């Protein structure tokens, strides 16, 4: 028994000696890099989800069961039409943006577990440009419209490219069981906007994702999806007809429908009067890709990254806001209390007034889901609905903006850590070779005079003999080559561990 008690201190000493032996600068850098890479490629997503957990902000009270929704805006998956770059730079951009959105969306599903996920349009970036119909129906290149971006491969966009992009989108945002996912709301990058929309592009989007105009009931709320890009068209009834008919039917669809008693009556019996209409018991939430009109320079609230408000205007295949008459018509016919839109890529919250300022609606423009759309920190909107009939006139909708990891900041952090690593390796090499000691001696007071005198005696500051000079140059060359080899060896020992670990994290999620 006593021998065992003696062995434990010896084992502890051996363990400490083993750790001390391997506690080198390279191994410490390995641990630093492995921890940093694992956090930035894995834990940073879990940390973002933990910050946005429903229990942190819902506050509905005990024993409630709200309906939880997530709104995703403007993923705009990058394609050959997005940038002028080609080759490995474009491939790397596509790979890392897809990976970022896939990890973010997977984290939302796994950790937040929403009941419904709604997309606010702009699923693709160049979907409106992949018009195979204009290639199939024209017989000469002169009749094909020019590529607005000036890319030479404009004529190569065909339906097989659309299918490949659709499969790619489905891999980034896969459907999940026991969860409603609605992706049918089109954006201007999906189909175009107004008179720039082509029937073939719109029909193809509807075929794959469904009708962009629909009325859903979620959590005892009426959720309206309105295809506003098509509603702005005024030349083709097949494009603007469906959203126009849907908008005109909303007062009836949302209005009360009291039951009438079934009475057999004769001419002398007056018909019973209908009960007065009641307010819609299901509060209305409107989803539109294009934001509603607001006066110029309307502030967007504290959550916006940019200091500039949403600009009133438009350009090729886009318009920043709907027109004022159309916005008022939509508000009047929907009676919406809450509006969620996309398109701008940045957050914006405004209050709309309608019905002679008797009604108010809050519109929240949801920031983009991608880190390549001009916003440093992407995000999504969390919406909690509770309309159980016991609220007593209180608000039944609560929203929370959740921010995703700062991918650009992560990359800049890698660059900063790499620079620091190179400096540490250089200093460590100098320490082992005693170079730091020599530098410090040169800087010490009083040492400079003695070194100068000794140099004069050795002829270093006078006429230097050729043999001694040659010998010194050879020794210096050997020392430089030895330093370079030592530095490269330390760097290689670091990379041989960190790079495979990083690649494994990229391949496995």
């Amino acid at each position: 028994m006593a021998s065992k008690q003696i062995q434990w201190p010896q084992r502890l000493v051996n363990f400490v000696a083993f750790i001390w032996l391997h506690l080198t600068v390279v191994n410490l850098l390995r641990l630093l890099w492995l921890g940093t890479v694992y956090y930035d490629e894995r834990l940073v997503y879990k940390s973002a989800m933990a910050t946005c957990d429903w229990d942190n902000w819902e506050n509905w009270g005990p024993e409630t069961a709200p309906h939880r929704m997530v709104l995703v805006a403007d993923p705009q998956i990058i394609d050959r039409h997005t940038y002028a770059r080609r080759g490995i730079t474009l491939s790397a951009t596509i790979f890392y943006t897809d990976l970022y959105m896939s990890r973010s969306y997977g984290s939302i599903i796994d950790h937040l577990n929403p009941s419904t996920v709604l997309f606010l349009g702009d699923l693709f970036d160049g979907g409106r440009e992949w018009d195979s119909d204009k290639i199939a129906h024209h017989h000469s290149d002169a009749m094909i419209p020019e590529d607005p971006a000036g890319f030479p491969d404009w004529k190569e966009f065909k339906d097989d490219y659309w299918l490949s992009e659709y499969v790619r989108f489905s891999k980034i945002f896969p459907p999940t069981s026991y969860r409603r996912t609605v992706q049918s709301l089109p954006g201007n990058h999906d189909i175009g906007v107004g008179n720039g929309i082509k029937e073939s592009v719109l029909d193809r989007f509807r075929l794959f994702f469904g009708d962009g105009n629909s009325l859903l009931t979620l959590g005892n709320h009426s959720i309206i999806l309105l295809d506003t890009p098509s509603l702005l068209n005024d030349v083709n009834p097949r494009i603007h007809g469906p959203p126009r008919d849907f908008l005109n039917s909303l007062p009836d669809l949302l209005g009360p429908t009291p039951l009438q008693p079934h009475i057999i009556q004769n001419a002398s019996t007056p018909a019973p009067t209908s009960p007065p209409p009641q307010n819609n018991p299901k509060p209305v939430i409107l989803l539109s890709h294009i934001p509603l009109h607001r006066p110029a320079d309307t502030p967007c609230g504290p959550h916006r990254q940019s200091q500039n408000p949403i600009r009133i205007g438009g350009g090729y295949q886009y318009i920043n806001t709907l027109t004022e008459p159309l916005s008022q018509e939509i508000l009047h016919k929907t009676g919406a209390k809450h509006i969620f839109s996309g398109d701008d890529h940045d957050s914006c919250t405004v209050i709309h007034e309608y019905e002679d300022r008797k009604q108010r609606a809050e519109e929240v423009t949801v920031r983009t889901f991608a880190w390549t759309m001009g916003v440093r920190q992407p995000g999504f909107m969390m919406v909690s609905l509770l309309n159980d009939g016991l609220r007593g006139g209180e608000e039944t909708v609560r929203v929370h903006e959740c921010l995703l990891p700062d991918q650009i900041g992560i990359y800049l952090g890698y660059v900063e850590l790499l620079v620091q690593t190179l400096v540490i390796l250089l200093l460590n090499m100098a320490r082992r070779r005693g170079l730091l000691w020599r530098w410090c001696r040169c800087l010490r007071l009083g040492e400079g005079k003695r070194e100068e005198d000794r140099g004069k005696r050795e002829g270093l500051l006078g006429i230097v003999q050729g043999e001694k000079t040659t010998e010194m140059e050879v020794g210096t060359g050997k020392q430089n080559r030895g330093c370079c080899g030592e530095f490269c060896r330390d760097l290689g020992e670091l990379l041989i561990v960190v790079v495979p670990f990083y690649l494994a994290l990229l391949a496995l999620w």
Side-chain angles (χ1 to χ4, degrees), residues 18-34 425 490 493-494 497:
F18 176 81
I19 294 298
W20 183 259
L21 180 63
H22 292 83
L23 201 63
T24 63
V25 172
V26 173
N27 285 337
L28 290 176
L29 288 174
R30 284 174 175 172
L31 293 176
L32 177 61
W33 270 98
L34 293 178
L425 290 178
D490 290 347
E493 291 177 356
L494 175 65
V497 173

Side-chain angles (χ1 to χ4, degrees), residues 319-458:
I319 184 171
N320 293 330
T321 63
L322 299 176
T323 62
E324 184 175 8
L326 180 58
S327 299
Q328 288 295 315
E329 180 186 5
I330 292 173
L331 290 171
H332 173 76
K333 292 183 176 179
T334 61
K337 295 184 62 177
H338 296 273
I339 305 163
F340 296 97
S341 56
D343 184 69
D344 186 65
H345 297 175
D346 204 348
S347 178
C348 185
T349 302
V350 298
I351 301 297
H352 299 283
E353 295 181 341
Y354 62 104
E355 301 291 355
D356 295 330
R357 298 189 175 183
K358 296 179 181 179
Q359 300 291 335
R360 292 163 59 91
E362 181 186 68
E363 179 181 359
V364 178
T365 300
V366 182
R367 67 176 64 205
T368 177
F369 198 73
W371 64 273
T372 53
M373 294 293 122
V375 176
R376 178 69 178 264
Q377 197 161 13
F380 59 94
M381 190 62 62
M382 303 170 67
V383 182
S384 181
L385 307 176
L386 183 62
N387 184 22
D388 52 9
L390 305 175
R391 307 305 301 166
E394 296 181 6
E395 183 58 68
T396 61
V397 179
R398 292 183 180 175
V399 300
H400 179 77
E401 183 183 49
C402 185
L403 299 180
L404 293 172
D406 179 6
Q407 187 64 62
I408 297 178
I410 290 175
Y411 292 152
L412 293 177
Y414 285 154
V415 173
E416 181 180 358
L417 182 56
L418 177 60
V419 173
Q420 295 172 354
T421 298
L422 297 177
V423 173
I424 292 173
L425 290 178
L426 285 172
L427 293 177
N428 183 54
M429 180 198 65
R431 178 190 62 82
R432 286 197 300 249
R433 290 183 165 269
L435 298 179
L436 288 180
W437 173 249
R438 296 177 188 176
W439 294 340
C440 291
R441 288 186 63 189
C442 292
L443 294 176
R444 287 174 58 186
L445 294 176
E447 291 292 332
K449 178 65 176 176
R450 289 194 293 269
E451 291 296 328
E452 182 179 353
D453 294 340
R454 190 180 68 177
K456 289 181 178 180
R457 290 195 303 267
E458 295 178 355

Side-chain angles (χ1 to χ4, degrees), residues 20 212-213 240 372 428 461 491:
W20 183 259
N213 306 285
H240 65 71
T372 53
N428 183 54
L461 298 181
L491 184 60

